Amino acid sequence: MTSSGTNSHRPSAESLSPAWELLLPAAAAPARGRGRALRSALREAVRSGRLAAGTRLPSSRELAADLGVSRGLVTEAYEQLTAESYLRSGQGAGTWVNEGVRAAERPVRDRAPGAPGAAGALVDFRPGTPDLSLFPRSAWSAAQRTVFGRLPHGALGYPDPRGLPELREALAGLLARRRGVVADPERLVVCSGVAQATTLLGFVLRDEGVTSVGVEDPGSPEHASLFAATGLGTVPLPLDDDGLALAPLRRSGVRAVVTTPAHQFPTGIGYSAQRRGELLDWARTADAVIMEDDYDGDFRYDRAPVGALQGLDPERVVYTGSVSKSLAPGLRLGWLIAPAALTERIVARKRTMDLGNPVIDQAVLADFVVRGGYDRQLRRCQRAYRERRDALVAALDEHFPGATVSGIAAGLHIIARLPASYGPEDVFLERAAGAGIALRPLRDCGTAGSEDGTLPLVLGYAHLAPGDIARGIAALAAARRSGRPVTG
């Protein structure tokens, strides 16, 4: 076939031999599946852009002859793809690739943070990620085998939107024992992490007429964006040495507030006992709700564990947590424990949102908790993260004289305040980026900046080996001294 006979300026299929090569395997398929294979190959040629929009296809007789198949197979393929709008045809006008079809983007991109191909750093000190290489693959696989062996067929149907009863019971026992939570399994909702717990609460609060929620400043930037997705605004509220400052909270007029009282993010302070009591008194007086984000409550190094705020008043506090820091954020498993007055509305919203979390993943986590695997994992991580925290503090002491650190007694990050002589801050951050060192300044967490002239940084360490921590801080110091990008 040639294209010289066409009277259109559009490219003809005859000139696109690579596209027809895609159809040859389909033409060679077994007779019973040949038509299906031909339709699939032709459809993929259009999707991939090998057959561009506006391309004129050969007649069914010509294509059948070229491929060595019956004309009926080609006619049927043309008719089916025309019905699906991949092709268009008209009486006496031939068959064309529909201009409305857009070629699929190739390759499919992975937009997860830190995914291969994403803009990365040589050493990334940004907080928020545990060491994913510590994930207990063998123990998790053993739990999966156990679950698959005993899970009845009926359990694979739609689950209770609150979560599997065995997981809710296991989590209730775990949280009561480790965090001092008043954990009624009937008021515990398994969620896709604290992010979903936050949006569930946001929707319920909005339905009650709440328009804005108080958030800690500095605090997690995620809280504001998650509540915004539910139609709620946020009011930044300052901290003092004991926790959320009460006077600004009372003046704000909000009826809901988010807190991280066990290990405030990012400052690392633990709310004092007096401030906890005052915060609960405010909630009772204002008929308000407190959301407690216990994001890293299991990691304590140099101080006694601080119990959850929820244990002091479970009817005023919505408690949330997850396995994102203890196991892996990719599991998307977390929990919410609601006051009795909100439980049914939260469960109803969960049902309409996703009909419940995956059954098998819930069953595996329940087995992992009940058999002691979760406690063993926490002890393993505790030892590793303490060592890394110590490596970070030692490296800062060596390379940045005069720096002070805080929030080091718990959690997975610290606040490092560098003397003003290491600034200006924008120049310092620019040189760090040039050296391949990723940093998060404290100002990214909502605060306007340092009031004492220091250069405050939020440095995560849990995901970095001690050697990488030492090399990263040394490279950062060298970049600052020379003003040139240094890669260590």
Side-chain angles (χ1 to χ4, degrees):
M1 295 183 294
T2 66
S3 59
S4 59
T6 181
N7 57 7
S8 171
H9 67 279
R10 294 170 174 149
S12 67
E14 294 91 327
S15 65
L16 301 177
S17 58
W20 302 125
E21 289 175 4
L22 294 176
L23 304 182
L24 291 176
R32 293 187 61 181
R34 193 171 297 157
R36 182 172 60 254
L38 181 60
R39 294 191 297 273
S40 178
L42 188 56
R43 189 182 292 113
E44 179 58 26
V46 175
R47 284 174 175 165
S48 67
R50 299 288 291 277
L51 284 178
T55 298
R56 183 173 184 171
L57 275 63
S59 68
S60 58
R61 185 188 304 277
E62 291 172 327
L63 184 56
D66 282 354
L67 296 178
V69 299
S70 71
R71 183 183 180 186
L73 285 180
V74 176
T75 300
E76 183 181 0
Y78 280 7
E79 290 175 349
Q80 178 62 36
L81 268 70
T82 299
E84 295 174 8
S85 298
Y86 285 95
L87 306 179
R88 62 177 176 82
S89 61
Q91 187 68 32
T95 302
W96 306 78
V97 176
N98 200 333
E99 285 84 351
V101 178
R102 300 184 64 181
E105 190 173 328
R106 294 291 189 269
V108 176
R109 291 179 287 175
D110 186 348
R111 300 187 181 184
L122 295 176
V123 182
D124 190 344
F125 283 106
R126 290 172 297 182
T129 305
D131 185 348
L132 301 180
S133 71
L134 294 180
F135 183 80
R137 291 173 181 262
S138 296
W140 195 260
S141 296
Q144 285 181 320
R145 289 192 295 272
T146 299
V147 164
F148 280 125
R150 73 168 185 235
L151 201 65
H153 298 312
L156 297 177
Y158 291 110
D160 184 331
R162 296 172 297 176
L164 289 186
E166 56 263 43
L167 178 57
R168 289 187 281 121
E169 189 171 350
L171 289 174
L174 175 78
L175 296 171
R177 171 169 53 85
R178 293 194 66 96
R179 303 295 301 126
V181 171
V182 178
D184 181 352
E186 293 301 301
R187 288 159 56 175
L188 191 153
V189 181
V190 178
C191 308
S192 297
V194 173
Q196 188 183 51
T198 303
T199 55
L200 285 170
L201 178 61
F203 281 122
V204 170
L205 292 175
R206 188 195 65 184
D207 291 344
E208 287 195 338
V210 172
T211 58
S212 60
V213 177
V215 294
E216 297 169 322
D217 181 21
S220 171
E222 295 299 320
H223 288 146
S225 60
L226 290 169
F227 281 120
T230 70
L232 296 180
T234 49
V235 178
L237 298 171
L239 307 169
D240 58 27
D241 292 341
D242 291 319
L244 200 64
L246 265 296
L249 173 61
R250 294 189 181 107
R251 289 195 300 268
S252 71
V254 298
R255 292 175 48 208
V257 66
V258 182
T259 64
T260 52
H263 185 238
Q264 199 278 331
F265 183 87
T267 65
I269 65 173
Y271 280 30
S272 68
Q274 179 178 343
R275 184 55 47 85
R276 287 166 170 249
E278 292 170 341
L279 187 58
L280 292 171
D281 287 341
W282 164 81
R284 298 178 192 120
T285 301
D287 191 21
V289 173
I290 301 168
M291 174 181 151
E292 179 176 13
D293 181 356
D294 199 19
Y295 68 100
D296 66 356
D298 281 307
F299 297 109
R300 295 289 175 272
Y301 312 118
D302 303 322
R303 74 181 186 205
V306 179
L309 180 68
Q310 188 264 6
L312 302 176
D313 193 340
E315 298 308 322
R316 286 293 168 188
V317 181
V318 177
Y319 178 84
T320 66
S322 76
V323 301
S324 293
K325 303 297 187 290
S326 53
L327 288 171
L331 292 176
R332 306 312 305 134
L333 285 169
W335 46 83
L336 176 156
I337 300 178
L342 298 178
T343 299
E344 290 307 316
R345 278 171 285 176
I346 288 174
V347 173
R349 175 63 70 167
K350 170 69 174 174
R351 179 183 292 110
T352 59
M353 186 175 286
D354 60 16
L355 298 180
N357 282 59
V359 169
I360 294 174
D361 294 342
Q362 293 188 67
V364 172
L365 180 57
D367 184 88
F368 195 67
V369 170
V370 170
R371 292 174 180 267
Y374 192 74
D375 284 309
R376 287 190 291 273
Q377 172 70 5
L378 290 176
R379 290 194 295 271
R380 180 189 183 197
C381 292
Q382 184 103 349
R383 291 191 296 270
Y385 296 160
R386 181 197 295 267
E387 179 186 9
R388 296 169 192 199
R389 179 208 62 176
D390 292 345
L392 178 56
V393 173
L396 288 168
D397 185 59
E398 177 183 356
H399 296 287
F400 288 91
T404 61
V405 295
S406 59
I408 66 173
L412 308 180
H413 71 274
I414 67 171
I415 297 289
R417 294 182 181 273
L418 308 186
S421 59
Y422 290 103
E425 183 174 20
D426 289 340
V427 174
F428 182 90
L429 295 174
E430 182 179 354
R431 290 177 178 175
I437 310 299
L439 300 173
R440 171 173 283 183
L442 182 60
R443 70 187 187 193
D444 284 357
C445 297
T447 188
S450 174
E451 296 180 357
D452 56 9
T454 62
L455 198 166
L457 303 172
V458 187
L459 301 179
Y461 54 81
H463 58 293
L464 297 170
D468 291 332
I469 290 172
R471 283 189 293 272
I473 295 298
L476 183 61
R480 180 258 166 187
R481 286 192 303 269
S482 67
R484 296 190 306 271
V486 176
T487 60

